[in-house]
Amino acid sequence: MTAPLTPPHQPPNDAVPPHGRPSPYPPLSPDDGAPSVATELRQAAVVAAVSTVAGALLGLLWLWLAPRVPLISDGKAVFLRNSEGEAAVGADGTFVLLALGFGALAAALVFLFHRYGGVALVIALAAGGVLGSLLGWGVGTFLGPTHDVVAHAKEVGAGVEFDAPLKLEMWAGAMLAWPLAAMIVHLALTALFGPRDPEDEWPPQKETGDEA
């Protein structure tokens, strides 16, 4: 007489995963955690809008922290007060550093509140970063010293020092600092702390029944 191959204590077939032993992870539904497409698009629109508005703060900080380029007039022409100064380069560097910080902060906040976000949120981070940088540049240059240097020199008089208009020499590179920082930081956070699917275990060795 031959004994049954399945021991009496063996659970039913529908309770055992294909690999032979129960999975330690609960079953996931298709909608568990991940937002719908409509929800993700709404979240992306909010991220892009908030990033754009935050560009105004970037512009104000740039205007406050950027070093000034002093000019002086002799009544006929306008000259640099210090021809060997590095203030012009410092204005670009200040903008880039601020933009990098804004991009990293935006990515961290998006990951914190929308951990299951997908491609739409990454695109929104990049687009919002570019728009925010443009707004920040516009705010800083608009609220900063006037761009009509000749009229300003005549107004202050000869021999009186005044500030040059705030501007970006490396304009294209400065506009990319925010979106690049946002995408890199978001990618790193997703790789390190993002949700992961349960890993499949190696199938155990099949047990063979004993013959009586």
Side-chain angles (χ1 to χ4, degrees), residues 6-200:
T6 303
H9 61 275
Q10 185 74 20
N13 291 334
D14 56 354
V16 181
H19 293 323
R21 48 179 166 174
S23 172
Y25 304 99
L28 296 177
S29 63
D31 298 330
D32 188 13
S36 63
V37 175
T39 300
E40 187 175 347
L41 291 177
R42 285 195 298 268
Q43 293 173 349
V46 172
V47 168
V50 173
S51 297
T52 303
V53 174
L57 178 59
L58 169 64
L60 294 175
L61 289 174
W62 180 45
L63 177 62
W64 178 36
L65 297 174
R68 298 291 186 260
V69 178
L71 302 177
I72 194 168
S73 171
D74 61 357
K76 297 180 181 180
V78 179
F79 305 94
L80 287 172
R81 183 69 177 83
N82 183 6
S83 59
E84 298 181 357
E86 300 179 354
V89 178
D92 283 45
T94 302
F95 187 95
V96 169
L97 290 176
L98 288 172
L100 291 174
F102 271 71
L105 179 60
L109 291 176
V110 168
F111 180 79
L112 179 63
F113 290 104
H114 306 296
R115 185 164 297 190
Y116 288 90
V119 178
L121 284 177
V122 177
I123 295 175
L125 275 173
V130 173
L131 295 175
S133 298
L134 287 171
L135 181 59
W137 167 70
V139 168
T141 54
F142 179 76
L143 297 180
T146 178
H147 285 254
D148 193 346
V149 176
V150 175
H152 195 190
K154 292 179 179 179
E155 180 183 352
V156 299
V160 179
E161 183 179 307
F162 61 96
D163 293 333
L166 193 61
K167 60 182 179 179
L168 291 173
E169 299 293 340
M170 299 180 295
W171 184 84
M175 293 300 107
L176 294 177
W178 183 333
L180 286 177
M183 288 188 293
I184 292 173
V185 172
H186 190 272
L187 178 62
L189 291 175
T190 302
L192 293 174
F193 307 107
R196 293 176 173 81
D197 295 330
E199 296 182 358
D200 295 333

